[in-house]
Amino acid sequence: MSLDDERNDGLFGGSGETRTRLPEGEGGGDDVYGGARRSGRSGRSSSRSLVTVVGVVVLLIAAIAFANRGGDESSAGGGDGKKSDTSPTAPSGTKPVGGKNSGIPSGFAHDEQGAQSAAANYAVALGSAEMFDKDQRHGIVNTVYTPDEATKRQSSLDKVYSGEKFLTSIGLNADGSAPKNTKFVSRIIPVGTKATKFSGDRASVEIWYSSLFGLAGEDTKNPVSESWFTNTYELRWVDGDWKVADFRQKDGPVPVGRDQRASTADDMAKAVEQFGGFTYAR
């Protein structure tokens, strides 16, 4: 198995290779996080920005008006009166999970929504920086996977995560630590989930998410970049909770990037330290 295969086969929950366009530095600056906006912008940029702002305001007004209609179900499904086939991730009224195992939410409901919530939380754990610490990784794997699957995966994951070639390729030291004056970032942000199959003790759940991965530091060659993936988790109900039996990963869908200035290395490191992750439940 090649290095690229190891990074893109879903072992890390979404730290695969991606092509990133970095901003140009202002006045010859070297900060790969900061710098000027992309070149080639015409004098119409301010006009486009104004149109964008106006459009957003209009959409917000429309959304507020819709929300204040008082839940008129007769018009909620469009002109043909048909209910949408989509199932948006929204509060269901079911009490969120309260238990935790190795810091990961546990005790999910034995239903379709519980399976989706489990998949979202497990994706966050599998894509976290804690996976690069042996003891924490073992706890995550034992919590997330079915007992049989956890036993099979531990040794292969240990081999990959302790591989000097892999660690140095992503900018870490050979022992897995971040270089001096840098902050290692590995985080998954779920955008939405859907259950494609559900039958009692088995569920197949897709989760679409954004992944932040890299090193926040002034001199790093591996700056924090964003990637987009969709994972499909095969879940089994084992010992009173959902567990992962297998999963697949594919790229995208990837949105068009906005013309925004990249943050400085210091701002990125502070953001990761100050903003914690979420417990996902429906």
Side-chain angles (χ1 to χ4, degrees):
M1 179 182 288
S2 69
L3 177 61
D4 287 340
D5 291 335
E6 291 172 341
R7 294 193 63 190
N8 290 304
D9 65 358
L11 285 175
F12 316 109
S15 59
E17 298 279 3
T18 184
R19 183 178 292 113
T20 303
R21 177 177 295 175
L22 296 174
E24 298 177 4
E26 289 184 310
D30 296 326
D31 188 353
V32 295
Y33 285 91
R37 297 175 185 269
R38 293 196 298 270
S39 62
R41 299 182 65 194
S42 68
R44 294 176 295 174
S45 296
S46 60
S47 297
R48 292 202 306 270
S49 298
L50 178 59
V51 172
T52 300
V53 170
V54 172
V56 171
V57 171
V58 171
L59 289 175
L60 285 174
I61 294 174
I64 293 172
F66 182 82
N68 289 331
R69 288 169 60 185
D72 182 5
E73 296 181 359
S74 62
S75 58
D80 59 3
K82 294 181 180 179
K83 184 178 179 181
S84 173
D85 291 333
T86 60
S87 178
T89 302
S92 63
T94 302
K95 184 178 179 180
V97 295
K100 285 193 175 183
N101 189 352
S102 295
I104 304 171
S106 61
F108 298 97
H110 192 185
D111 55 22
E112 191 171 306
Q113 289 190 7
Q116 292 184 56
S117 184
N121 281 282
Y122 293 165
V124 170
L126 290 171
S128 68
E130 285 71 29
M131 285 290 287
F132 288 77
D133 178 90
K134 183 176 181 179
D135 292 336
Q136 295 186 78
R137 178 172 63 252
H138 284 189
I140 292 172
V141 172
N142 287 329
T143 299
V144 167
Y145 288 102
T146 63
D148 290 343
E149 194 66 21
T151 300
K152 289 192 298 183
R153 288 182 180 262
Q154 285 288 17
S155 59
S156 62
L157 288 172
D158 285 344
K159 181 179 179 180
V160 171
Y161 279 97
S162 62
E164 181 176 344
K165 182 179 179 181
F166 167 67
L167 294 173
T168 55
S169 73
I170 61 176
L172 296 177
N173 296 323
D175 62 357
S177 61
K180 185 178 180 180
N181 297 324
T182 64
K183 175 72 175 180
F184 177 53
V185 180
S186 181
R187 184 177 292 190
I188 277 179
I189 308 96
V191 175
T193 62
K194 68 174 180 179
T196 54
K197 294 180 182 179
F198 182 82
S199 59
D201 292 344
R202 293 173 177 265
S204 182
V205 177
E206 291 186 1
I207 172 172
W208 178 38
Y209 64 91
S210 172
S211 171
L212 299 179
F213 191 84
L215 289 164
E218 296 292 340
D219 300 320
T220 181
K221 297 181 180 179
N222 300 78
V224 179
S225 59
E226 181 184 37
S227 304
W228 290 83
F229 299 93
T230 296
N231 282 3
T232 299
Y233 288 89
E234 301 298 333
L235 302 174
R236 302 289 182 269
W237 186 257
V238 179
D239 296 331
D241 213 348
W242 290 107
K243 299 292 181 180
V244 177
D246 195 11
F247 78 93
R248 303 177 299 280
Q249 182 187 81
K250 64 180 181 181
D251 288 349
V254 181
V256 176
R258 290 287 301 275
D259 189 12
Q260 291 179 290
R261 185 190 303 273
S263 297
T264 65
D266 185 54
D267 285 343
M268 181 63 69
K270 288 180 179 178
V272 173
E273 293 173 350
Q274 295 172 1
F275 292 87
F278 290 99
T279 294
Y280 294 86
R282 299 186 63 181

